[in-house]
Amino acid sequence: STVKTASFSILFLRAGQTKPGFLPRIRDEFRQNSNIKKTDVMHIEYLYRRGQRQLDQLKDVNTKQLGTFSKPQAES
Amino acid sequence: MMAGVSRILIRRLSSSQSLPPSVRCCSRNFHFNINGKRDDAKVSNDISQYPVVDHHFDAVVVGAGGAGLRAAFGLSEAGFNTACVTKLFPTRSHTVAAQGGINAALGNMEADDWRWHFYDTVKGSDWLGDQDAIHYMTEQAPASVVELENFGMPFSRTEDGKIYQRAFGGQSLKFGKGGQAHRCCCVADRTGHSLLHTLYGRSLRFDTSYFVEYFALDLLMEDGECKGVIAFCMEDGSIHRFRSKNTVIATGGYGRTYFSCTSAHTSTGDGNAMVTRAGLPCQDLEFVQFHPTGIYGAGCLITEGCRGEGGILINSEGERFMERYAPNAKDLASRDVVSRSMTIEIREGRGCGPEKDHVYLQLHHLPPQQLAVRLPGISETAMIFAGVEVTKEPIPVLPTVHYNMGGVPTNYKGQVITHVGGEDKVVPGLYACGEAACASVHGANRLGANSLLDLVVFGRACALTIAETGTPGEKLSPLKPNAGEESVANLDKIRFAEGTIRTSEIRLNMQKTMQNHAAVFRTGDLLKEGCDKMDAIYQSMEDIKTFDRGIVWNTDLVESLELQNLMLNAVQTIHSAEARKESRGAHAREDYQDRMDELDYAKPLAGQEKKSFDQHWRKHTLSTVDIKTGKVTLGYRPVIDRSLDQEECSAIPPAIRSY
């Protein structure tokens, strides 16, 4: 499953290469979910299904860039 | 030498790294950034971060019900790169619940003419409908129904294989003089279901991009022009900005502002609220239709088609009371007339049941075979929700909120308009169709089976207008990088709301207030009290409390956003109702029982002097809201009395409305 994740992440990185803002987020998402146990199949499969949909959207020619709206909670 | 040049370039780039040009600060403390996280972020957990994906399309349609789907695939057919953003899967939109049918002067049951349909609709609207839009709709009706049939819609058929048309409320022949017309094309009593599934199936042939379970938050407006929509993906919590030159609003009505309604829980007036937040007016929101036959208690809809097939309404004395109120049309009078009649019967003590608070719809005098073939859906609904066997017992019914005649004001082409300096002015880039729009074809009261027609005709009209005024692949005008920031700030505020009142409680307060103060019959004092109560409830939204802090499938958040939308619709509805001092169509005032037109049409017109615009009420209400204070401001706009072509179809001058 680590091999599958690696190849899945490569697909994402390739798709997001030409569109600004995606690569850091893709890396973060994969890093964040890297500590899921191998036995937690339901969770992994859910993330994989969701990831497939997100990948299709990323590859779509109409998706142009990723930005972030962020708010430091300390300031509120 | 090349190396030297490149070294200078690199230095120039690195010196500008200290303040990336894409960072824009704002007063709400939200920062928009393109290059991932801010480098000076200390700990990532401290920051509320929302990734926002930008999409570019030629056209965006918000809503995937009958009108939204028709507009979306109409646009795709015309070659436009179209996105359809919907919070529900297309076949779950509320169109699926429509039962009755779709009106069209096909002439299958008897000789018919679309001009008679035009007359019926104008009269049904109590002369508040814009006659050019009504002309457009009724003339296009036969072609639209034939188009639906060609898409594969399984209409009920007559013996010779033509589309079966049933009698429906308010439909007559020969401009009201030829008796009941049979003009409503239907699919048993599940027309909306078939319509939506047919349209959905058809839409799959085209390459529209569907964004399902994306909740549209706001319009992206700049310099008075609509440049797209910002939406929130419920599945993964990401924000999406759909930039396009053409945005179509097809988000449906807002029945859920009332305690008892036939609408789905998702009918929350999102489109009207988006338009209000963009500073644009909504039109005629005080006109809320009470459908005569909603099941007592459950509120589920029993179609007018029952009365079309021969069903009758009876009171506790077993009398067919509609004969007294509408001697000609009887039970098939216009819906507002029937609702009022039922309410009067109940008020005068002739209601049925232990509390005498409803009336009965009797169907058991009809042949069981006819009930099984033409009305299978309501037979089942009555059994499940009222425990009634329709072939043996009558169904307990009560007038229930069903439809919103008001909405986003448009012209007959589907373009959203405002009223500036006494003239209608088009808002560039924005269109609306379906129940969310107010063209206005329904005026003060909608005739049954005209809504499904409205959906397909104006859905197509929006697509045609966009195809006429634009070209596919047009370059988008620039938009400021942090567009949509207020919407994200609001989302964040609601997500972490820590007040004292929960969403469901505020919602219930609003629904009960609207039900008690803005019902079938309205009085000045009750409305005024309702306005004050609604203003207080609007303020109580500041104290809202939500429980789910997550971002994935946060239904608490979505319901709270929907409540914000409902609230904007509710305050405009009740304030507009309080201000309108007359009775017209579905807006019935006990203290102002007559219609107040520019001339008194009950008396001979010769010698009468026309009242000035601010002295009569035959005008559209335009309402806006100050979002922070909840204060409603009202303006007015004249009704369009000319048809599209006086020679083809002459406009109908106002007259007394009786059935």
Short mmCIF file of all heavy atoms in Angstrom, two decimals, chain B residues 61-117:
data_model
loop_
_atom_site.label_atom_id
_atom_site.label_comp_id
_atom_site.label_asym_id
_atom_site.label_seq_id
_atom_site.Cartn_x
_atom_site.Cartn_y
_atom_site.Cartn_z
N VAL B 61 -24.01 27.25 -13.84
CA VAL B 61 -25.42 27.16 -13.44
C VAL B 61 -25.43 26.71 -11.99
O VAL B 61 -24.78 25.71 -11.65
CB VAL B 61 -26.19 26.15 -14.32
CG1 VAL B 61 -27.63 26.04 -13.86
CG2 VAL B 61 -26.13 26.55 -15.77
N VAL B 62 -26.15 27.43 -11.14
CA VAL B 62 -26.24 27.04 -9.74
C VAL B 62 -27.59 26.37 -9.54
O VAL B 62 -28.63 27.02 -9.66
CB VAL B 62 -26.11 28.25 -8.80
CG1 VAL B 62 -26.10 27.80 -7.36
CG2 VAL B 62 -24.86 29.03 -9.13
N GLY B 63 -27.60 25.10 -9.22
CA GLY B 63 -28.86 24.38 -9.06
C GLY B 63 -29.06 23.38 -10.19
O GLY B 63 -28.82 23.71 -11.35
N ALA B 64 -29.47 22.18 -9.86
CA ALA B 64 -29.65 21.15 -10.89
C ALA B 64 -31.03 20.54 -10.81
O ALA B 64 -31.20 19.32 -10.86
CB ALA B 64 -28.57 20.07 -10.75
N GLY B 65 -32.04 21.39 -10.65
CA GLY B 65 -33.42 20.91 -10.74
C GLY B 65 -33.86 21.02 -12.19
O GLY B 65 -33.04 21.05 -13.10
N GLY B 66 -35.15 21.12 -12.40
CA GLY B 66 -35.66 21.20 -13.77
C GLY B 66 -35.06 22.35 -14.55
O GLY B 66 -34.56 22.18 -15.66
N ALA B 67 -35.11 23.55 -13.95
CA ALA B 67 -34.60 24.74 -14.65
C ALA B 67 -33.09 24.68 -14.82
O ALA B 67 -32.57 24.98 -15.90
CB ALA B 67 -35.00 26.00 -13.89
N GLY B 68 -32.38 24.30 -13.75
CA GLY B 68 -30.92 24.25 -13.81
C GLY B 68 -30.41 23.27 -14.85
O GLY B 68 -29.51 23.59 -15.64
N LEU B 69 -30.99 22.09 -14.89
CA LEU B 69 -30.54 21.09 -15.86
C LEU B 69 -30.83 21.55 -17.27
O LEU B 69 -29.99 21.39 -18.16
CB LEU B 69 -31.23 19.74 -15.62
CG LEU B 69 -30.71 18.91 -14.45
CD1 LEU B 69 -31.50 17.61 -14.36
CD2 LEU B 69 -29.24 18.59 -14.61
N ARG B 70 -32.03 22.11 -17.48
CA ARG B 70 -32.40 22.56 -18.84
C ARG B 70 -31.45 23.66 -19.29
O ARG B 70 -31.00 23.67 -20.44
CB ARG B 70 -33.85 23.05 -18.85
CG ARG B 70 -34.38 23.42 -20.24
CD ARG B 70 -34.44 22.20 -21.11
NE ARG B 70 -34.70 22.48 -22.51
CZ ARG B 70 -33.78 22.81 -23.40
NH1 ARG B 70 -32.53 22.98 -23.05
NH2 ARG B 70 -34.10 23.01 -24.66
N ALA B 71 -31.10 24.58 -18.38
CA ALA B 71 -30.16 25.65 -18.74
C ALA B 71 -28.78 25.06 -19.00
O ALA B 71 -28.12 25.41 -19.98
CB ALA B 71 -30.10 26.68 -17.62
N ALA B 72 -28.34 24.13 -18.13
CA ALA B 72 -26.98 23.58 -18.25
C ALA B 72 -26.79 22.83 -19.56
O ALA B 72 -25.81 23.08 -20.29
CB ALA B 72 -26.67 22.66 -17.07
N PHE B 73 -27.72 21.94 -19.89
CA PHE B 73 -27.45 21.23 -21.14
C PHE B 73 -27.81 22.06 -22.36
O PHE B 73 -27.26 21.83 -23.44
CB PHE B 73 -28.00 19.79 -21.14
CG PHE B 73 -29.46 19.59 -21.35
CD1 PHE B 73 -30.05 19.82 -22.58
CD2 PHE B 73 -30.23 19.08 -20.34
CE1 PHE B 73 -31.40 19.59 -22.78
CE2 PHE B 73 -31.57 18.84 -20.52
CZ PHE B 73 -32.17 19.10 -21.74
N GLY B 74 -28.68 23.05 -22.19
CA GLY B 74 -28.92 23.99 -23.29
C GLY B 74 -27.64 24.74 -23.63
O GLY B 74 -27.30 24.94 -24.81
N LEU B 75 -26.90 25.15 -22.59
CA LEU B 75 -25.65 25.85 -22.80
C LEU B 75 -24.59 24.93 -23.40
O LEU B 75 -23.86 25.33 -24.30
CB LEU B 75 -25.14 26.43 -21.47
CG LEU B 75 -25.89 27.66 -20.99
CD1 LEU B 75 -25.62 27.91 -19.52
CD2 LEU B 75 -25.50 28.87 -21.81
N SER B 76 -24.50 23.70 -22.89
CA SER B 76 -23.52 22.75 -23.43
C SER B 76 -23.81 22.47 -24.89
O SER B 76 -22.90 22.36 -25.72
CB SER B 76 -23.55 21.44 -22.66
OG SER B 76 -23.09 21.63 -21.36
N GLU B 77 -25.11 22.39 -25.21
CA GLU B 77 -25.51 22.13 -26.59
C GLU B 77 -25.07 23.27 -27.50
O GLU B 77 -24.70 23.06 -28.65
CB GLU B 77 -27.04 22.00 -26.62
CG GLU B 77 -27.57 21.32 -27.86
CD GLU B 77 -29.07 21.06 -27.73
OE1 GLU B 77 -29.73 21.71 -26.90
OE2 GLU B 77 -29.55 20.20 -28.47
N ALA B 78 -25.09 24.51 -26.94
CA ALA B 78 -24.69 25.67 -27.73
C ALA B 78 -23.18 25.83 -27.79
O ALA B 78 -22.67 26.81 -28.33
CB ALA B 78 -25.33 26.93 -27.14
N GLY B 79 -22.45 24.89 -27.20
CA GLY B 79 -21.00 24.90 -27.29
C GLY B 79 -20.28 25.58 -26.13
O GLY B 79 -19.07 25.73 -26.16
N PHE B 80 -21.03 25.99 -25.12
CA PHE B 80 -20.39 26.67 -23.99
C PHE B 80 -19.83 25.65 -23.02
O PHE B 80 -20.44 24.63 -22.75
CB PHE B 80 -21.41 27.56 -23.26
CG PHE B 80 -21.72 28.82 -24.00
CD1 PHE B 80 -22.60 28.82 -25.06
CD2 PHE B 80 -21.13 30.02 -23.64
CE1 PHE B 80 -22.89 29.98 -25.77
CE2 PHE B 80 -21.42 31.19 -24.32
CZ PHE B 80 -22.29 31.16 -25.39
N ASN B 81 -18.66 25.95 -22.48
CA ASN B 81 -18.05 25.12 -21.47
C ASN B 81 -18.78 25.40 -20.16
O ASN B 81 -18.62 26.46 -19.57
CB ASN B 81 -16.57 25.55 -21.37
CG ASN B 81 -15.76 24.55 -20.63
OD1 ASN B 81 -16.24 23.47 -20.30
ND2 ASN B 81 -14.52 24.91 -20.35
N THR B 82 -19.62 24.48 -19.72
CA THR B 82 -20.56 24.77 -18.63
C THR B 82 -20.27 23.95 -17.39
O THR B 82 -19.93 22.78 -17.46
CB THR B 82 -22.00 24.44 -19.08
OG1 THR B 82 -22.22 24.98 -20.37
CG2 THR B 82 -23.02 25.03 -18.13
N ALA B 83 -20.42 24.61 -16.22
CA ALA B 83 -20.34 23.91 -14.95
C ALA B 83 -21.70 23.99 -14.30
O ALA B 83 -22.37 25.02 -14.38
CB ALA B 83 -19.31 24.57 -14.05
N CYS B 84 -22.12 22.91 -13.65
CA CYS B 84 -23.38 22.93 -12.92
C CYS B 84 -23.06 22.62 -11.46
O CYS B 84 -22.60 21.52 -11.14
CB CYS B 84 -24.34 21.89 -13.50
SG CYS B 84 -25.96 21.92 -12.72
N VAL B 85 -23.25 23.62 -10.60
CA VAL B 85 -22.92 23.48 -9.19
C VAL B 85 -24.20 23.23 -8.42
O VAL B 85 -25.14 24.01 -8.50
CB VAL B 85 -22.27 24.79 -8.67
CG1 VAL B 85 -21.96 24.70 -7.20
CG2 VAL B 85 -21.02 25.11 -9.47
N THR B 86 -24.25 22.13 -7.67
CA THR B 86 -25.50 21.79 -6.99
C THR B 86 -25.21 21.20 -5.62
O THR B 86 -24.26 20.44 -5.44
CB THR B 86 -26.33 20.83 -7.85
OG1 THR B 86 -27.34 20.25 -7.04
CG2 THR B 86 -25.50 19.73 -8.47
N LYS B 87 -26.06 21.53 -4.64
CA LYS B 87 -25.82 20.98 -3.31
C LYS B 87 -26.43 19.59 -3.17
O LYS B 87 -26.19 18.89 -2.19
CB LYS B 87 -26.35 21.93 -2.23
CG LYS B 87 -27.85 22.04 -2.12
CD LYS B 87 -28.22 22.99 -0.99
CE LYS B 87 -29.73 23.05 -0.85
NZ LYS B 87 -30.15 24.05 0.14
N LEU B 88 -27.27 19.23 -4.16
CA LEU B 88 -27.90 17.92 -4.14
C LEU B 88 -27.60 17.19 -5.44
O LEU B 88 -27.38 17.84 -6.47
CB LEU B 88 -29.41 18.06 -4.05
CG LEU B 88 -29.99 18.75 -2.83
CD1 LEU B 88 -31.47 18.98 -3.05
CD2 LEU B 88 -29.78 17.90 -1.61
N PHE B 89 -27.67 15.88 -5.41
CA PHE B 89 -27.57 15.15 -6.66
C PHE B 89 -28.76 15.56 -7.53
O PHE B 89 -29.86 15.69 -7.02
CB PHE B 89 -27.59 13.64 -6.38
CG PHE B 89 -27.25 12.84 -7.59
CD1 PHE B 89 -25.94 12.75 -8.03
CD2 PHE B 89 -28.24 12.22 -8.34
CE1 PHE B 89 -25.63 12.05 -9.18
CE2 PHE B 89 -27.94 11.51 -9.49
CZ PHE B 89 -26.63 11.43 -9.90
N PRO B 90 -28.56 15.77 -8.84
CA PRO B 90 -29.64 16.31 -9.68
C PRO B 90 -31.00 15.66 -9.51
O PRO B 90 -32.01 16.36 -9.44
CB PRO B 90 -29.11 16.10 -11.11
CG PRO B 90 -27.64 16.19 -10.97
CD PRO B 90 -27.32 15.62 -9.63
N THR B 91 -31.06 14.34 -9.40
CA THR B 91 -32.39 13.72 -9.31
C THR B 91 -33.00 13.84 -7.92
O THR B 91 -34.10 13.35 -7.69
CB THR B 91 -32.34 12.24 -9.71
OG1 THR B 91 -31.36 11.60 -8.90
CG2 THR B 91 -31.99 12.07 -11.17
N ARG B 92 -32.29 14.48 -6.99
CA ARG B 92 -32.86 14.70 -5.66
C ARG B 92 -33.36 16.12 -5.49
O ARG B 92 -33.81 16.47 -4.41
CB ARG B 92 -31.80 14.46 -4.57
CG ARG B 92 -31.20 13.09 -4.57
CD ARG B 92 -32.19 12.05 -4.15
NE ARG B 92 -31.58 10.74 -4.04
CZ ARG B 92 -32.23 9.59 -4.04
NH1 ARG B 92 -33.54 9.59 -4.17
NH2 ARG B 92 -31.60 8.46 -3.91
N SER B 93 -33.26 16.94 -6.53
CA SER B 93 -33.76 18.30 -6.42
C SER B 93 -35.27 18.27 -6.23
O SER B 93 -35.92 17.30 -6.59
CB SER B 93 -33.44 19.09 -7.69
OG SER B 93 -32.05 19.08 -7.92
N HIS B 94 -35.83 19.34 -5.70
CA HIS B 94 -37.23 19.32 -5.32
C HIS B 94 -38.19 19.17 -6.50
O HIS B 94 -39.35 18.82 -6.30
CB HIS B 94 -37.57 20.56 -4.49
CG HIS B 94 -38.90 20.47 -3.82
ND1 HIS B 94 -39.31 19.36 -3.09
CD2 HIS B 94 -39.94 21.33 -3.77
CE1 HIS B 94 -40.53 19.57 -2.65
NE2 HIS B 94 -40.94 20.74 -3.04
N THR B 95 -37.69 19.41 -7.73
CA THR B 95 -38.54 19.21 -8.92
C THR B 95 -39.12 17.80 -8.93
O THR B 95 -40.23 17.57 -9.43
CB THR B 95 -37.72 19.40 -10.21
OG1 THR B 95 -37.00 20.61 -10.13
CG2 THR B 95 -38.60 19.41 -11.44
N VAL B 96 -38.37 16.86 -8.35
CA VAL B 96 -38.79 15.46 -8.40
C VAL B 96 -40.12 15.25 -7.68
O VAL B 96 -40.84 14.30 -7.96
CB VAL B 96 -37.67 14.56 -7.82
CG1 VAL B 96 -37.68 14.56 -6.31
CG2 VAL B 96 -37.72 13.17 -8.37
N ALA B 97 -40.44 16.14 -6.74
CA ALA B 97 -41.66 15.96 -5.97
C ALA B 97 -42.90 16.52 -6.65
O ALA B 97 -44.02 16.29 -6.18
CB ALA B 97 -41.50 16.63 -4.60
N ALA B 98 -42.73 17.26 -7.74
CA ALA B 98 -43.90 17.83 -8.41
C ALA B 98 -44.80 16.73 -8.90
O ALA B 98 -44.33 15.71 -9.40
CB ALA B 98 -43.45 18.71 -9.58
N GLN B 99 -46.10 16.94 -8.74
CA GLN B 99 -47.01 15.86 -9.08
C GLN B 99 -47.86 16.14 -10.30
O GLN B 99 -47.98 15.34 -11.21
CB GLN B 99 -47.93 15.57 -7.89
CG GLN B 99 -47.17 15.09 -6.67
CD GLN B 99 -48.07 14.97 -5.44
OE1 GLN B 99 -49.20 15.44 -5.43
NE2 GLN B 99 -47.56 14.34 -4.41
N GLY B 100 -48.48 17.35 -10.30
CA GLY B 100 -49.61 17.60 -11.20
C GLY B 100 -49.36 17.45 -12.68
O GLY B 100 -49.95 16.60 -13.33
N GLY B 101 -48.51 18.32 -13.24
CA GLY B 101 -48.39 18.26 -14.69
C GLY B 101 -47.81 19.53 -15.24
O GLY B 101 -47.36 20.40 -14.51
N ILE B 102 -47.83 19.62 -16.56
CA ILE B 102 -47.24 20.76 -17.26
C ILE B 102 -48.24 21.24 -18.31
O ILE B 102 -48.70 20.47 -19.15
CB ILE B 102 -45.85 20.35 -17.82
CG1 ILE B 102 -45.22 21.46 -18.60
CG2 ILE B 102 -45.90 19.08 -18.63
CD1 ILE B 102 -43.75 21.18 -18.91
N ASN B 103 -48.60 22.53 -18.21
CA ASN B 103 -49.63 23.06 -19.10
C ASN B 103 -49.11 23.36 -20.48
O ASN B 103 -48.05 23.95 -20.63
CB ASN B 103 -50.16 24.40 -18.54
CG ASN B 103 -51.11 24.21 -17.39
OD1 ASN B 103 -51.77 23.19 -17.30
ND2 ASN B 103 -51.17 25.19 -16.52
N ALA B 104 -49.86 22.97 -21.50
CA ALA B 104 -49.51 23.36 -22.87
C ALA B 104 -50.75 23.23 -23.74
O ALA B 104 -51.50 22.26 -23.59
CB ALA B 104 -48.41 22.47 -23.43
N ALA B 105 -50.97 24.21 -24.62
CA ALA B 105 -52.18 24.20 -25.45
C ALA B 105 -51.97 23.31 -26.67
O ALA B 105 -51.91 23.79 -27.80
CB ALA B 105 -52.51 25.63 -25.86
N LEU B 106 -51.87 22.00 -26.41
CA LEU B 106 -51.67 21.06 -27.52
C LEU B 106 -52.97 20.76 -28.24
O LEU B 106 -52.98 20.41 -29.41
CB LEU B 106 -51.07 19.74 -27.00
CG LEU B 106 -49.66 19.81 -26.43
CD1 LEU B 106 -49.31 18.50 -25.77
CD2 LEU B 106 -48.66 20.12 -27.52
N GLY B 107 -54.09 20.85 -27.49
CA GLY B 107 -55.39 20.60 -28.11
C GLY B 107 -55.71 19.14 -28.32
O GLY B 107 -56.41 18.79 -29.27
N ASN B 108 -55.19 18.27 -27.43
CA ASN B 108 -55.46 16.83 -27.62
C ASN B 108 -56.84 16.41 -27.12
O ASN B 108 -57.39 15.41 -27.57
CB ASN B 108 -54.41 16.00 -26.88
CG ASN B 108 -53.06 16.10 -27.56
OD1 ASN B 108 -52.97 16.52 -28.71
ND2 ASN B 108 -52.02 15.73 -26.86
N MET B 109 -57.36 17.14 -26.12
CA MET B 109 -58.64 16.72 -25.54
C MET B 109 -59.81 17.49 -26.15
O MET B 109 -60.92 17.01 -26.20
CB MET B 109 -58.64 16.95 -24.03
CG MET B 109 -57.43 16.38 -23.32
SD MET B 109 -57.27 14.61 -23.44
CE MET B 109 -58.37 14.08 -22.18
N GLU B 110 -59.53 18.73 -26.52
CA GLU B 110 -60.54 19.55 -27.20
C GLU B 110 -59.76 20.65 -27.91
O GLU B 110 -58.57 20.82 -27.66
CB GLU B 110 -61.51 20.16 -26.17
CG GLU B 110 -60.92 21.23 -25.27
CD GLU B 110 -60.79 20.83 -23.82
OE1 GLU B 110 -61.73 20.23 -23.27
OE2 GLU B 110 -59.75 21.11 -23.23
N ALA B 111 -60.40 21.39 -28.77
CA ALA B 111 -59.69 22.46 -29.49
C ALA B 111 -59.14 23.47 -28.50
O ALA B 111 -59.82 23.84 -27.55
CB ALA B 111 -60.66 23.15 -30.45
N ASP B 112 -57.92 23.87 -28.70
CA ASP B 112 -57.27 24.75 -27.73
C ASP B 112 -56.41 25.78 -28.45
O ASP B 112 -56.01 25.60 -29.59
CB ASP B 112 -56.40 23.91 -26.78
CG ASP B 112 -56.17 24.58 -25.44
OD1 ASP B 112 -56.57 25.75 -25.27
OD2 ASP B 112 -55.59 23.92 -24.57
N ASP B 113 -56.10 26.87 -27.75
CA ASP B 113 -55.29 27.94 -28.34
C ASP B 113 -54.40 28.48 -27.25
O ASP B 113 -54.86 28.72 -26.13
CB ASP B 113 -56.23 29.05 -28.85
CG ASP B 113 -55.48 30.11 -29.64
OD1 ASP B 113 -54.26 30.26 -29.47
OD2 ASP B 113 -56.14 30.80 -30.46
N TRP B 114 -53.12 28.72 -27.52
CA TRP B 114 -52.21 29.21 -26.48
C TRP B 114 -52.61 30.58 -25.97
O TRP B 114 -52.27 30.97 -24.85
CB TRP B 114 -50.75 29.16 -26.93
CG TRP B 114 -50.36 30.08 -28.06
CD1 TRP B 114 -50.30 29.77 -29.38
CD2 TRP B 114 -49.98 31.45 -27.96
NE1 TRP B 114 -49.89 30.85 -30.10
CE2 TRP B 114 -49.69 31.89 -29.26
CE3 TRP B 114 -49.85 32.35 -26.89
CZ2 TRP B 114 -49.27 33.20 -29.52
CZ3 TRP B 114 -49.43 33.64 -27.15
CH2 TRP B 114 -49.15 34.06 -28.46
N ARG B 115 -53.37 31.33 -26.78
CA ARG B 115 -53.81 32.65 -26.30
C ARG B 115 -54.81 32.52 -25.15
O ARG B 115 -54.92 33.40 -24.31
CB ARG B 115 -54.44 33.45 -27.44
CG ARG B 115 -53.44 33.83 -28.51
CD ARG B 115 -54.12 34.41 -29.73
NE ARG B 115 -53.19 34.53 -30.83
CZ ARG B 115 -52.80 33.56 -31.62
NH1 ARG B 115 -53.29 32.34 -31.45
NH2 ARG B 115 -51.93 33.76 -32.59
N TRP B 116 -55.58 31.40 -25.11
CA TRP B 116 -56.50 31.20 -24.01
C TRP B 116 -55.70 30.86 -22.75
O TRP B 116 -56.04 31.30 -21.66
CB TRP B 116 -57.48 30.06 -24.33
CG TRP B 116 -58.29 30.31 -25.56
CD1 TRP B 116 -58.50 31.52 -26.18
CD2 TRP B 116 -58.97 29.34 -26.35
NE1 TRP B 116 -59.27 31.35 -27.30
CE2 TRP B 116 -59.57 30.04 -27.42
CE3 TRP B 116 -59.14 27.96 -26.24
CZ2 TRP B 116 -60.32 29.38 -28.39
CZ3 TRP B 116 -59.90 27.31 -27.21
CH2 TRP B 116 -60.49 28.01 -28.27
N HIS B 117 -54.62 30.11 -22.90
CA HIS B 117 -53.71 29.81 -21.81
C HIS B 117 -53.08 31.10 -21.31
O HIS B 117 -52.93 31.32 -20.10
CB HIS B 117 -52.64 28.82 -22.30
CG HIS B 117 -51.70 28.35 -21.25
ND1 HIS B 117 -50.52 27.68 -21.53
CD2 HIS B 117 -51.71 28.46 -19.90
CE1 HIS B 117 -49.90 27.38 -20.42
NE2 HIS B 117 -50.59 27.85 -19.41
#
